[in-house]
Amino acid sequence: EAEVAQSPRYKITEKSQAVAFWCDPISGHATLYWYRQILGQGPELLVQFQDESVVDDSQLPKDRFSAERLKGVDSTLKIQPAELGDSAMYLCASSFRGGTYEQYFGPGTRLTVT
Amino acid sequence: AQSVSQHNHHVILSEAASLELGCNYSYGGTVNLFWYVQYPGQHLQLLLKYFSGDPLVKGIKGFEAEFIKSKFSFNLRKPSVQWSDTAEYFCAVLYAGNMLTFGGGTRLMVKP
């Protein structure tokens, strides 16, 4: 069964450092999502791509976060500089199209900022 | 801003007990409703969804949910839980604009 791949699974970084996460969606899925899940809370959408274009990044802290999906396939989420409050699980999801199509989630990257 | 509330953060049940997890949302327009589940060590996965039609929807593993529009609710139910249902359950609402909004989650522990 096809799955969404993410790496790394765990990342520890010091504050003010740069960190990057990678996501490979299910083949053929045009829509890709990045979520942040703080411990004890539900996932919060950071950015949504349709192919290589950003559809929604209204919740992305653009002063330090950036996301790209250059070829419309895999995607990278970057944080620079990392802050203590960025410690969270970063989830990637993909769907065939946006809207009501089911989102399939990856295992996530757990980030700890020290 | 739209919001999703899950009233129970932690629930502990014995096997064979009945389950009902509450979910309320704030938006009064057209919504699509979902329950996701995350078993220990596994990915978030879809349990069931409601788009339109019969407000009682059935999902995998014997779960069902009822959409009550007048109460802005979409509660999850299972008549008899099993130890393997131990997981975290998330209600999510798709509002106009295609942004999926999650509730805070409910951790369910089923004692054997």
Side-chain angles (χ1 to χ4, degrees), chain B residues 42-91:
Chain B
Q42 296 188 26
H43 312 176
L44 265 172
Q45 58 186 281
L46 184 65
L47 199 55
L48 51 77
K49 60 187 177 185
Y50 172 79
F51 289 169
S52 63
D54 188 344
L56 184 63
V57 293
K58 296 189 184 300
I60 59 173
K61 304 186 180 184
F63 286 89
E64 65 180 30
E66 185 175 13
F67 170 53
I68 303 179
K69 188 174 182 179
S70 61
K71 295 185 177 180
F72 299 93
S73 71
F74 189 55
N75 291 355
L76 181 71
R77 299 196 292 249
K78 186 171 184 179
S80 176
V81 295
Q82 301 173 319
W83 176 78
S84 58
D85 293 324
T86 294
E88 188 159 18
Y89 294 81
F90 293 92
C91 180

mmCIF file of all heavy atoms in Angstrom, chain B residues 42-91:
data_model
loop_
_atom_site.group_PDB
_atom_site.id
_atom_site.type_symbol
_atom_site.label_atom_id
_atom_site.label_comp_id
_atom_site.label_asym_id
_atom_site.label_seq_id
_atom_site.Cartn_x
_atom_site.Cartn_y
_atom_site.Cartn_z
ATOM 1 N N GLN B 42 1.450 4.606 14.986
ATOM 2 C CA GLN B 42 0.998 4.589 13.592
ATOM 3 C C GLN B 42 0.611 5.987 13.109
ATOM 4 O O GLN B 42 0.552 6.935 13.872
ATOM 5 C CB GLN B 42 -0.186 3.636 13.432
ATOM 6 C CG GLN B 42 0.146 2.188 13.728
ATOM 7 C CD GLN B 42 -1.001 1.266 13.373
ATOM 8 O OE1 GLN B 42 -1.828 1.575 12.511
ATOM 9 N NE2 GLN B 42 -1.055 0.118 14.032
ATOM 10 N N HIS B 43 0.358 6.071 11.792
ATOM 11 C CA HIS B 43 -0.031 7.330 11.189
ATOM 12 C C HIS B 43 -1.482 7.661 11.504
ATOM 13 O O HIS B 43 -2.276 6.784 11.843
ATOM 14 C CB HIS B 43 0.081 7.259 9.662
ATOM 15 C CG HIS B 43 1.370 6.699 9.167
ATOM 16 N ND1 HIS B 43 1.606 6.483 7.829
ATOM 17 C CD2 HIS B 43 2.492 6.308 9.798
ATOM 18 C CE1 HIS B 43 2.812 6.003 7.675
ATOM 19 N NE2 HIS B 43 3.378 5.870 8.843
ATOM 20 N N LEU B 44 -1.818 8.920 11.374
ATOM 21 C CA LEU B 44 -3.218 9.318 11.368
ATOM 22 C C LEU B 44 -3.917 8.646 10.195
ATOM 23 O O LEU B 44 -3.391 8.643 9.079
ATOM 24 C CB LEU B 44 -3.330 10.830 11.176
ATOM 25 C CG LEU B 44 -3.452 11.729 12.389
ATOM 26 C CD1 LEU B 44 -3.356 13.183 11.966
ATOM 27 C CD2 LEU B 44 -4.747 11.472 13.120
ATOM 28 N N GLN B 45 -5.095 8.101 10.454
ATOM 29 C CA GLN B 45 -5.841 7.490 9.360
ATOM 30 C C GLN B 45 -7.321 7.805 9.501
ATOM 31 O O GLN B 45 -7.821 8.020 10.598
ATOM 32 C CB GLN B 45 -5.606 5.983 9.295
ATOM 33 C CG GLN B 45 -5.965 5.233 10.555
ATOM 34 C CD GLN B 45 -5.576 3.765 10.456
ATOM 35 O OE1 GLN B 45 -6.269 2.976 9.838
ATOM 36 N NE2 GLN B 45 -4.470 3.414 11.063
ATOM 37 N N LEU B 46 -8.002 7.819 8.367
ATOM 38 C CA LEU B 46 -9.411 8.179 8.346
ATOM 39 C C LEU B 46 -10.263 7.044 8.910
ATOM 40 O O LEU B 46 -10.108 5.882 8.522
ATOM 41 C CB LEU B 46 -9.833 8.484 6.908
ATOM 42 C CG LEU B 46 -11.260 8.981 6.717
ATOM 43 C CD1 LEU B 46 -11.442 10.345 7.375
ATOM 44 C CD2 LEU B 46 -11.599 9.069 5.226
ATOM 45 N N LEU B 47 -11.167 7.401 9.808
ATOM 46 C CA LEU B 47 -12.076 6.434 10.422
ATOM 47 C C LEU B 47 -13.431 6.460 9.705
ATOM 48 O O LEU B 47 -13.999 5.427 9.368
ATOM 49 C CB LEU B 47 -12.248 6.793 11.897
ATOM 50 C CG LEU B 47 -12.774 5.768 12.887
ATOM 51 C CD1 LEU B 47 -11.953 4.507 12.858
ATOM 52 C CD2 LEU B 47 -12.783 6.372 14.288
ATOM 53 N N LEU B 48 -13.941 7.655 9.483
ATOM 54 C CA LEU B 48 -15.189 7.827 8.751
ATOM 55 C C LEU B 48 -15.349 9.285 8.357
ATOM 56 O O LEU B 48 -14.628 10.158 8.854
ATOM 57 C CB LEU B 48 -16.387 7.347 9.568
ATOM 58 C CG LEU B 48 -16.559 7.850 11.004
ATOM 59 C CD1 LEU B 48 -17.093 9.258 11.058
ATOM 60 C CD2 LEU B 48 -17.471 6.918 11.796
ATOM 61 N N LYS B 49 -16.324 9.522 7.462
ATOM 62 C CA LYS B 49 -16.544 10.888 6.990
ATOM 63 C C LYS B 49 -18.015 11.090 6.654
ATOM 64 O O LYS B 49 -18.730 10.136 6.343
ATOM 65 C CB LYS B 49 -15.688 11.169 5.757
ATOM 66 C CG LYS B 49 -15.977 10.239 4.590
ATOM 67 C CD LYS B 49 -14.982 10.445 3.464
ATOM 68 C CE LYS B 49 -15.226 9.448 2.328
ATOM 69 N NZ LYS B 49 -14.194 9.550 1.264
ATOM 70 N N TYR B 50 -18.447 12.343 6.733
ATOM 71 C CA TYR B 50 -19.796 12.722 6.347
ATOM 72 C C TYR B 50 -19.713 13.882 5.373
ATOM 73 O O TYR B 50 -19.109 14.916 5.671
ATOM 74 C CB TYR B 50 -20.632 13.134 7.563
ATOM 75 C CG TYR B 50 -21.955 13.719 7.156
ATOM 76 C CD1 TYR B 50 -23.011 12.892 6.770
ATOM 77 C CD2 TYR B 50 -22.145 15.094 7.099
ATOM 78 C CE1 TYR B 50 -24.217 13.421 6.365
ATOM 79 C CE2 TYR B 50 -23.349 15.631 6.685
ATOM 80 C CZ TYR B 50 -24.376 14.789 6.319
ATOM 81 O OH TYR B 50 -25.572 15.315 5.899
ATOM 82 N N PHE B 51 -20.379 13.701 4.215
ATOM 83 C CA PHE B 51 -20.454 14.791 3.247
ATOM 84 C C PHE B 51 -21.890 15.264 3.092
ATOM 85 O O PHE B 51 -22.174 16.456 3.079
ATOM 86 C CB PHE B 51 -19.903 14.352 1.890
ATOM 87 C CG PHE B 51 -18.412 14.174 1.871
ATOM 88 C CD1 PHE B 51 -17.782 13.570 0.790
ATOM 89 C CD2 PHE B 51 -17.613 14.593 2.917
ATOM 90 C CE1 PHE B 51 -16.408 13.397 0.767
ATOM 91 C CE2 PHE B 51 -16.244 14.426 2.915
ATOM 92 C CZ PHE B 51 -15.636 13.827 1.829
ATOM 93 N N SER B 52 -22.819 14.328 2.938
ATOM 94 C CA SER B 52 -24.229 14.666 2.770
ATOM 95 C C SER B 52 -25.044 13.389 2.901
ATOM 96 O O SER B 52 -24.492 12.293 3.029
ATOM 97 C CB SER B 52 -24.475 15.306 1.397
ATOM 98 O OG SER B 52 -24.167 14.393 0.361
ATOM 99 N N GLY B 53 -26.364 13.526 2.893
ATOM 100 C CA GLY B 53 -27.231 12.358 2.930
ATOM 101 C C GLY B 53 -27.519 11.907 4.348
ATOM 102 O O GLY B 53 -27.656 12.716 5.260
ATOM 103 N N ASP B 54 -27.579 10.605 4.537
ATOM 104 C CA ASP B 54 -27.907 10.017 5.833
ATOM 105 C C ASP B 54 -26.956 10.559 6.898
ATOM 106 O O ASP B 54 -25.736 10.398 6.784
ATOM 107 C CB ASP B 54 -27.796 8.498 5.748
ATOM 108 C CG ASP B 54 -28.311 7.796 7.004
ATOM 109 O OD1 ASP B 54 -28.474 8.461 8.058
ATOM 110 O OD2 ASP B 54 -28.543 6.578 6.932
ATOM 111 N N PRO B 55 -27.498 11.205 7.940
ATOM 112 C CA PRO B 55 -26.617 11.797 8.952
ATOM 113 C C PRO B 55 -25.926 10.769 9.844
ATOM 114 O O PRO B 55 -25.034 11.122 10.606
ATOM 115 C CB PRO B 55 -27.570 12.673 9.765
ATOM 116 C CG PRO B 55 -28.908 12.063 9.569
ATOM 117 C CD PRO B 55 -28.909 11.511 8.180
ATOM 118 N N LEU B 56 -26.331 9.532 9.760
ATOM 119 C CA LEU B 56 -25.656 8.480 10.517
ATOM 120 C C LEU B 56 -24.708 7.758 9.556
ATOM 121 O O LEU B 56 -25.144 7.092 8.621
ATOM 122 C CB LEU B 56 -26.678 7.509 11.110
ATOM 123 C CG LEU B 56 -26.111 6.412 12.006
ATOM 124 C CD1 LEU B 56 -25.444 7.024 13.243
ATOM 125 C CD2 LEU B 56 -27.206 5.445 12.431
ATOM 126 N N VAL B 57 -23.430 7.913 9.809
ATOM 127 C CA VAL B 57 -22.437 7.319 8.909
ATOM 128 C C VAL B 57 -21.671 6.227 9.634
ATOM 129 O O VAL B 57 -21.407 6.322 10.826
ATOM 130 C CB VAL B 57 -21.452 8.372 8.373
ATOM 131 C CG1 VAL B 57 -22.170 9.345 7.472
ATOM 132 C CG2 VAL B 57 -20.763 9.108 9.490
ATOM 133 N N LYS B 58 -21.352 5.213 8.885
ATOM 134 C CA LYS B 58 -20.613 4.081 9.450
ATOM 135 C C LYS B 58 -19.210 4.063 8.880
ATOM 136 O O LYS B 58 -18.988 4.320 7.691
ATOM 137 C CB LYS B 58 -21.343 2.775 9.153
ATOM 138 C CG LYS B 58 -22.714 2.710 9.822
ATOM 139 C CD LYS B 58 -23.346 1.351 9.703
ATOM 140 C CE LYS B 58 -24.745 1.350 10.303
ATOM 141 N NZ LYS B 58 -24.746 1.698 11.739
ATOM 142 N N GLY B 59 -18.255 3.756 9.761
ATOM 143 C CA GLY B 59 -16.870 3.711 9.341
ATOM 144 C C GLY B 59 -16.273 2.337 9.549
ATOM 145 O O GLY B 59 -16.989 1.353 9.700
ATOM 146 N N ILE B 60 -14.951 2.316 9.602
ATOM 147 C CA ILE B 60 -14.268 1.053 9.782
ATOM 148 C C ILE B 60 -14.320 0.611 11.240
ATOM 149 O O ILE B 60 -14.578 1.419 12.138
ATOM 150 C CB ILE B 60 -12.798 1.158 9.329
ATOM 151 C CG1 ILE B 60 -12.048 2.236 10.117
ATOM 152 C CG2 ILE B 60 -12.736 1.458 7.828
ATOM 153 C CD1 ILE B 60 -10.558 2.284 9.859
ATOM 154 N N LYS B 61 -14.124 -0.668 11.458
ATOM 155 C CA LYS B 61 -13.976 -1.259 12.782
ATOM 156 C C LYS B 61 -15.180 -1.026 13.688
ATOM 157 O O LYS B 61 -15.034 -0.943 14.906
ATOM 158 C CB LYS B 61 -12.692 -0.755 13.451
ATOM 159 C CG LYS B 61 -11.451 -1.020 12.611
ATOM 160 C CD LYS B 61 -10.172 -0.666 13.303
ATOM 161 C CE LYS B 61 -8.990 -0.977 12.381
ATOM 162 N NZ LYS B 61 -7.689 -0.746 13.020
ATOM 163 N N GLY B 62 -16.368 -0.924 13.105
ATOM 164 C CA GLY B 62 -17.587 -0.838 13.895
ATOM 165 C C GLY B 62 -17.922 0.540 14.434
ATOM 166 O O GLY B 62 -18.862 0.698 15.209
ATOM 167 N N PHE B 63 -17.164 1.543 14.039
ATOM 168 C CA PHE B 63 -17.450 2.904 14.477
ATOM 169 C C PHE B 63 -18.544 3.543 13.634
ATOM 170 O O PHE B 63 -18.698 3.225 12.454
ATOM 171 C CB PHE B 63 -16.191 3.778 14.401
ATOM 172 C CG PHE B 63 -15.192 3.500 15.478
ATOM 173 C CD1 PHE B 63 -14.209 2.540 15.287
ATOM 174 C CD2 PHE B 63 -15.237 4.178 16.680
ATOM 175 C CE1 PHE B 63 -13.280 2.269 16.281
ATOM 176 C CE2 PHE B 63 -14.315 3.922 17.675
ATOM 177 C CZ PHE B 63 -13.335 2.959 17.481
ATOM 178 N N GLU B 64 -19.280 4.444 14.243
ATOM 179 C CA GLU B 64 -20.274 5.230 13.537
ATOM 180 C C GLU B 64 -20.301 6.631 14.132
ATOM 181 O O GLU B 64 -19.808 6.848 15.243
ATOM 182 C CB GLU B 64 -21.661 4.595 13.617
ATOM 183 C CG GLU B 64 -22.237 4.538 15.013
ATOM 184 C CD GLU B 64 -23.620 3.893 15.039
ATOM 185 O OE1 GLU B 64 -23.905 3.023 14.189
ATOM 186 O OE2 GLU B 64 -24.414 4.276 15.916
ATOM 187 N N ALA B 65 -20.852 7.569 13.376
ATOM 188 C CA ALA B 65 -20.970 8.940 13.867
ATOM 189 C C ALA B 65 -22.273 9.523 13.359
ATOM 190 O O ALA B 65 -22.745 9.175 12.271
ATOM 191 C CB ALA B 65 -19.788 9.789 13.419
ATOM 192 N N GLU B 66 -22.836 10.413 14.153
ATOM 193 C CA GLU B 66 -24.099 11.043 13.786
ATOM 194 C C GLU B 66 -23.918 12.539 13.663
ATOM 195 O O GLU B 66 -23.444 13.202 14.604
ATOM 196 C CB GLU B 66 -25.177 10.732 14.818
ATOM 197 C CG GLU B 66 -26.553 11.285 14.414
ATOM 198 C CD GLU B 66 -27.656 10.898 15.366
ATOM 199 O OE1 GLU B 66 -27.348 10.410 16.471
ATOM 200 O OE2 GLU B 66 -28.826 11.098 15.003
ATOM 201 N N PHE B 67 -24.316 13.068 12.515
ATOM 202 C CA PHE B 67 -24.278 14.502 12.261
ATOM 203 C C PHE B 67 -25.616 15.092 12.689
ATOM 204 O O PHE B 67 -26.667 14.706 12.191
ATOM 205 C CB PHE B 67 -24.023 14.749 10.768
ATOM 206 C CG PHE B 67 -24.206 16.181 10.327
ATOM 207 C CD1 PHE B 67 -23.540 17.203 10.975
ATOM 208 C CD2 PHE B 67 -25.019 16.486 9.252
ATOM 209 C CE1 PHE B 67 -23.682 18.522 10.556
ATOM 210 C CE2 PHE B 67 -25.172 17.802 8.825
ATOM 211 C CZ PHE B 67 -24.512 18.824 9.480
ATOM 212 N N ILE B 68 -25.564 16.019 13.649
ATOM 213 C CA ILE B 68 -26.766 16.727 14.073
ATOM 214 C C ILE B 68 -26.538 18.204 13.771
ATOM 215 O O ILE B 68 -25.857 18.910 14.516
ATOM 216 C CB ILE B 68 -27.085 16.508 15.566
ATOM 217 C CG1 ILE B 68 -27.232 15.017 15.858
ATOM 218 C CG2 ILE B 68 -28.353 17.247 15.953
ATOM 219 C CD1 ILE B 68 -27.527 14.678 17.320
ATOM 220 N N LYS B 69 -27.131 18.648 12.667
ATOM 221 C CA LYS B 69 -26.859 19.995 12.184
ATOM 222 C C LYS B 69 -27.295 21.061 13.182
ATOM 223 O O LYS B 69 -26.591 22.055 13.390
ATOM 224 C CB LYS B 69 -27.567 20.225 10.845
ATOM 225 C CG LYS B 69 -27.189 21.518 10.156
ATOM 226 C CD LYS B 69 -27.806 21.596 8.774
ATOM 227 C CE LYS B 69 -27.392 22.880 8.070
ATOM 228 N NZ LYS B 69 -27.965 22.966 6.700
ATOM 229 N N SER B 70 -28.434 20.845 13.819
ATOM 230 C CA SER B 70 -28.969 21.845 14.747
ATOM 231 C C SER B 70 -28.076 22.021 15.973
ATOM 232 O O SER B 70 -28.118 23.067 16.627
ATOM 233 C CB SER B 70 -30.379 21.457 15.187
ATOM 234 O OG SER B 70 -30.356 20.213 15.863
ATOM 235 N N LYS B 71 -27.289 21.015 16.279
ATOM 236 C CA LYS B 71 -26.403 21.075 17.439
ATOM 237 C C LYS B 71 -24.952 21.286 17.033
ATOM 238 O O LYS B 71 -24.078 21.299 17.908
ATOM 239 C CB LYS B 71 -26.531 19.795 18.259
ATOM 240 C CG LYS B 71 -27.901 19.588 18.904
ATOM 241 C CD LYS B 71 -27.901 18.356 19.791
ATOM 242 C CE LYS B 71 -29.252 18.205 20.484
ATOM 243 N NZ LYS B 71 -29.296 17.004 21.367
ATOM 244 N N PHE B 72 -24.687 21.429 15.759
ATOM 245 C CA PHE B 72 -23.315 21.575 15.256
ATOM 246 C C PHE B 72 -22.436 20.455 15.821
ATOM 247 O O PHE B 72 -21.314 20.692 16.259
ATOM 248 C CB PHE B 72 -22.737 22.947 15.645
ATOM 249 C CG PHE B 72 -23.506 24.110 15.090
ATOM 250 C CD1 PHE B 72 -24.511 24.699 15.832
ATOM 251 C CD2 PHE B 72 -23.230 24.607 13.832
ATOM 252 C CE1 PHE B 72 -25.244 25.764 15.314
ATOM 253 C CE2 PHE B 72 -23.954 25.677 13.310
ATOM 254 C CZ PHE B 72 -24.962 26.250 14.052
ATOM 255 N N SER B 73 -22.971 19.234 15.831
ATOM 256 C CA SER B 73 -22.225 18.142 16.447
ATOM 257 C C SER B 73 -22.025 16.977 15.489
ATOM 258 O O SER B 73 -22.791 16.790 14.543
ATOM 259 C CB SER B 73 -22.941 17.656 17.707
ATOM 260 O OG SER B 73 -24.131 16.967 17.373
ATOM 261 N N PHE B 74 -20.992 16.209 15.776
ATOM 262 C CA PHE B 74 -20.653 15.021 14.973
ATOM 263 C C PHE B 74 -19.983 14.040 15.924
ATOM 264 O O PHE B 74 -18.779 13.832 15.906
ATOM 265 C CB PHE B 74 -19.735 15.405 13.819
ATOM 266 C CG PHE B 74 -19.509 14.308 12.809
ATOM 267 C CD1 PHE B 74 -20.573 13.685 12.170
ATOM 268 C CD2 PHE B 74 -18.217 13.918 12.463
ATOM 269 C CE1 PHE B 74 -20.364 12.695 11.229
ATOM 270 C CE2 PHE B 74 -17.999 12.917 11.524
ATOM 271 C CZ PHE B 74 -19.077 12.312 10.904
ATOM 272 N N ASN B 75 -20.788 13.422 16.772
ATOM 273 C CA ASN B 75 -20.260 12.548 17.809
ATOM 274 C C ASN B 75 -19.935 11.163 17.280
ATOM 275 O O ASN B 75 -20.658 10.600 16.459
ATOM 276 C CB ASN B 75 -21.256 12.442 18.961
ATOM 277 C CG ASN B 75 -21.388 13.746 19.727
ATOM 278 O OD1 ASN B 75 -20.672 14.721 19.462
ATOM 279 N ND2 ASN B 75 -22.317 13.774 20.660
ATOM 280 N N LEU B 76 -18.866 10.610 17.776
ATOM 281 C CA LEU B 76 -18.397 9.277 17.388
ATOM 282 C C LEU B 76 -18.890 8.254 18.396
ATOM 283 O O LEU B 76 -18.825 8.504 19.606
ATOM 284 C CB LEU B 76 -16.869 9.261 17.333
ATOM 285 C CG LEU B 76 -16.203 7.953 16.918
ATOM 286 C CD1 LEU B 76 -16.439 7.694 15.432
ATOM 287 C CD2 LEU B 76 -14.712 7.997 17.224
ATOM 288 N N ARG B 77 -19.345 7.107 17.902
ATOM 289 C CA ARG B 77 -19.874 6.075 18.795
ATOM 290 C C ARG B 77 -19.379 4.694 18.386
ATOM 291 O O ARG B 77 -19.056 4.443 17.217
ATOM 292 C CB ARG B 77 -21.409 6.076 18.774
ATOM 293 C CG ARG B 77 -22.035 7.375 19.228
ATOM 294 C CD ARG B 77 -23.495 7.172 19.544
ATOM 295 N NE ARG B 77 -24.277 6.884 18.342
ATOM 296 C CZ ARG B 77 -25.170 7.709 17.817
ATOM 297 N NH1 ARG B 77 -25.360 8.900 18.351
ATOM 298 N NH2 ARG B 77 -25.869 7.360 16.754
ATOM 299 N N LYS B 78 -19.321 3.828 19.383
ATOM 300 C CA LYS B 78 -19.079 2.406 19.143
ATOM 301 C C LYS B 78 -19.775 1.659 20.269
ATOM 302 O O LYS B 78 -19.574 1.980 21.439
ATOM 303 C CB LYS B 78 -17.594 2.072 19.104
ATOM 304 C CG LYS B 78 -17.329 0.620 18.701
ATOM 305 C CD LYS B 78 -15.862 0.357 18.442
ATOM 306 C CE LYS B 78 -15.673 -1.077 17.953
ATOM 307 N NZ LYS B 78 -14.252 -1.398 17.654
ATOM 308 N N PRO B 79 -20.606 0.684 19.948
ATOM 309 C CA PRO B 79 -21.411 0.034 20.990
ATOM 310 C C PRO B 79 -20.573 -0.786 21.972
ATOM 311 O O PRO B 79 -20.950 -0.905 23.141
ATOM 312 C CB PRO B 79 -22.365 -0.879 20.208
ATOM 313 C CG PRO B 79 -22.003 -0.781 18.784
ATOM 314 C CD PRO B 79 -20.956 0.253 18.595
ATOM 315 N N SER B 80 -19.452 -1.351 21.513
ATOM 316 C CA SER B 80 -18.669 -2.218 22.390
ATOM 317 C C SER B 80 -17.196 -2.097 21.998
ATOM 318 O O SER B 80 -16.780 -2.570 20.938
ATOM 319 C CB SER B 80 -19.144 -3.670 22.235
ATOM 320 O OG SER B 80 -18.349 -4.548 23.001
ATOM 321 N N VAL B 81 -16.421 -1.440 22.854
ATOM 322 C CA VAL B 81 -15.009 -1.199 22.508
ATOM 323 C C VAL B 81 -14.156 -2.415 22.823
ATOM 324 O O VAL B 81 -14.486 -3.248 23.671
ATOM 325 C CB VAL B 81 -14.456 0.045 23.231
ATOM 326 C CG1 VAL B 81 -15.168 1.294 22.757
ATOM 327 C CG2 VAL B 81 -14.537 -0.112 24.743
ATOM 328 N N GLN B 82 -13.033 -2.465 22.110
ATOM 329 C CA GLN B 82 -12.044 -3.521 22.330
ATOM 330 C C GLN B 82 -10.726 -2.889 22.740
ATOM 331 O O GLN B 82 -10.490 -1.695 22.498
ATOM 332 C CB GLN B 82 -11.855 -4.319 21.032
ATOM 333 C CG GLN B 82 -13.127 -4.962 20.512
ATOM 334 C CD GLN B 82 -12.922 -5.593 19.154
ATOM 335 O OE1 GLN B 82 -12.258 -5.022 18.298
ATOM 336 N NE2 GLN B 82 -13.485 -6.774 18.964
ATOM 337 N N TRP B 83 -9.858 -3.705 23.330
ATOM 338 C CA TRP B 83 -8.552 -3.222 23.756
ATOM 339 C C TRP B 83 -7.826 -2.575 22.573
ATOM 340 O O TRP B 83 -7.135 -1.563 22.714
ATOM 341 C CB TRP B 83 -7.742 -4.375 24.333
ATOM 342 C CG TRP B 83 -6.356 -3.983 24.703
ATOM 343 C CD1 TRP B 83 -5.954 -3.306 25.816
ATOM 344 C CD2 TRP B 83 -5.176 -4.243 23.936
ATOM 345 N NE1 TRP B 83 -4.586 -3.129 25.790
ATOM 346 C CE2 TRP B 83 -4.085 -3.695 24.651
ATOM 347 C CE3 TRP B 83 -4.929 -4.891 22.730
ATOM 348 C CZ2 TRP B 83 -2.780 -3.776 24.188
ATOM 349 C CZ3 TRP B 83 -3.619 -4.970 22.263
ATOM 350 C CH2 TRP B 83 -2.568 -4.417 22.995
ATOM 351 N N SER B 84 -8.022 -3.131 21.380
ATOM 352 C CA SER B 84 -7.334 -2.619 20.189
ATOM 353 C C SER B 84 -7.850 -1.250 19.733
ATOM 354 O O SER B 84 -7.284 -0.657 18.815
ATOM 355 C CB SER B 84 -7.476 -3.613 19.028
ATOM 356 O OG SER B 84 -8.843 -3.838 18.744
ATOM 357 N N ASP B 85 -8.900 -0.753 20.359
ATOM 358 C CA ASP B 85 -9.393 0.594 20.027
ATOM 359 C C ASP B 85 -8.629 1.680 20.778
ATOM 360 O O ASP B 85 -8.885 2.872 20.565
ATOM 361 C CB ASP B 85 -10.887 0.714 20.348
ATOM 362 C CG ASP B 85 -11.747 -0.157 19.460
ATOM 363 O OD1 ASP B 85 -11.406 -0.305 18.264
ATOM 364 O OD2 ASP B 85 -12.755 -0.706 19.962
ATOM 365 N N THR B 86 -7.722 1.282 21.647
ATOM 366 C CA THR B 86 -6.890 2.257 22.339
ATOM 367 C C THR B 86 -6.122 3.090 21.320
ATOM 368 O O THR B 86 -5.372 2.555 20.494
ATOM 369 C CB THR B 86 -5.897 1.544 23.276
ATOM 370 O OG1 THR B 86 -6.629 0.900 24.313
ATOM 371 C CG2 THR B 86 -4.906 2.525 23.883
ATOM 372 N N ALA B 87 -6.355 4.391 21.348
ATOM 373 C CA ALA B 87 -5.806 5.267 20.322
ATOM 374 C C ALA B 87 -6.173 6.705 20.673
ATOM 375 O O ALA B 87 -6.866 6.972 21.653
ATOM 376 C CB ALA B 87 -6.375 4.914 18.952
ATOM 377 N N GLU B 88 -5.712 7.628 19.816
ATOM 378 C CA GLU B 88 -6.153 9.015 19.924
ATOM 379 C C GLU B 88 -7.080 9.302 18.761
ATOM 380 O O GLU B 88 -6.774 8.937 17.618
ATOM 381 C CB GLU B 88 -4.971 9.990 19.931
ATOM 382 C CG GLU B 88 -5.380 11.416 20.246
ATOM 383 C CD GLU B 88 -4.244 12.275 20.747
ATOM 384 O OE1 GLU B 88 -3.068 11.913 20.555
ATOM 385 O OE2 GLU B 88 -4.537 13.347 21.336
ATOM 386 N N TYR B 89 -8.188 9.942 19.046
ATOM 387 C CA TYR B 89 -9.223 10.189 18.053
ATOM 388 C C TYR B 89 -9.372 11.697 17.829
ATOM 389 O O TYR B 89 -9.474 12.468 18.776
ATOM 390 C CB TYR B 89 -10.560 9.594 18.517
ATOM 391 C CG TYR B 89 -10.525 8.089 18.586
ATOM 392 C CD1 TYR B 89 -9.973 7.444 19.688
ATOM 393 C CD2 TYR B 89 -11.005 7.315 17.535
ATOM 394 C CE1 TYR B 89 -9.902 6.058 19.737
ATOM 395 C CE2 TYR B 89 -10.955 5.927 17.585
ATOM 396 C CZ TYR B 89 -10.396 5.308 18.690
ATOM 397 O OH TYR B 89 -10.329 3.934 18.730
ATOM 398 N N PHE B 90 -9.381 12.078 16.560
ATOM 399 C CA PHE B 90 -9.479 13.485 16.188
ATOM 400 C C PHE B 90 -10.699 13.716 15.307
ATOM 401 O O PHE B 90 -10.878 13.035 14.296
ATOM 402 C CB PHE B 90 -8.236 13.939 15.411
ATOM 403 C CG PHE B 90 -6.976 13.951 16.204
ATOM 404 C CD1 PHE B 90 -6.141 12.842 16.226
ATOM 405 C CD2 PHE B 90 -6.614 15.069 16.951
ATOM 406 C CE1 PHE B 90 -4.964 12.851 16.965
ATOM 407 C CE2 PHE B 90 -5.445 15.085 17.687
ATOM 408 C CZ PHE B 90 -4.627 13.968 17.697
ATOM 409 N N CYS B 91 -11.495 14.685 15.697
ATOM 410 C CA CYS B 91 -12.580 15.161 14.859
ATOM 411 C C CYS B 91 -12.026 16.272 13.968
ATOM 412 O O CYS B 91 -11.174 17.061 14.410
ATOM 413 C CB CYS B 91 -13.701 15.700 15.740
ATOM 414 S SG CYS B 91 -15.130 16.330 14.860
#
